[in-house]
């Protein structure tokens, strides 16, 4: 996987607005995820359900 800080820097250099930077970074990140197998991602992924708020929380930690 590519360095996340490098991808963020590339997005900031290309984008004109913070929203555009966020969109570019997200697209780059999803492209990197598409190259990975689910077995590579699974150890870094957690999912919990908050009963009070009735919502799922998915966390990906690298």
């Amino acid at each position: 996987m590519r360095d996340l800080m490098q991808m963020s820097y590339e997005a900031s250099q290309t984008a004109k607005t913070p929203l555009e930077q966020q969109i570019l970074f997200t697209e780059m990140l999803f492209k990197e995820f598409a190259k990975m197998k689910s077995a590579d991602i699974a150890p870094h992924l957690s999912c919990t359900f908050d009963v009070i708020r009735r919502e799922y929380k998915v966390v990906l930690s690298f």
Side-chain angles (χ1 to χ4, degrees):
M1 178 164 198
R2 287 179 53 198
D3 181 27
L4 297 177
M5 295 304 291
Q6 179 185 4
M7 289 190 318
S8 177
Y9 176 75
E10 289 175 14
S12 70
Q13 294 300 309
T14 306
K16 296 179 178 121
T17 65
L19 178 60
E20 188 178 337
Q21 178 184 353
Q22 183 179 4
I23 292 169
L24 286 172
F25 176 75
T26 303
E27 289 173 356
M28 286 189 258
L29 187 60
F30 284 149
K31 284 180 185 176
E32 287 299 312
F33 286 153
K35 297 176 188 175
M36 299 175 77
K37 295 181 180 178
S38 58
D40 297 334
I41 298 172
H44 307 284
L45 189 64
S46 67
C47 181
T48 57
F49 182 71
D50 187 337
V51 177
I52 296 170
R53 295 176 129 182
R54 302 189 50 76
E55 65 185 14
Y56 285 97
K57 181 177 181 181
V58 178
V59 177
L60 182 63
S61 302
F62 285 102

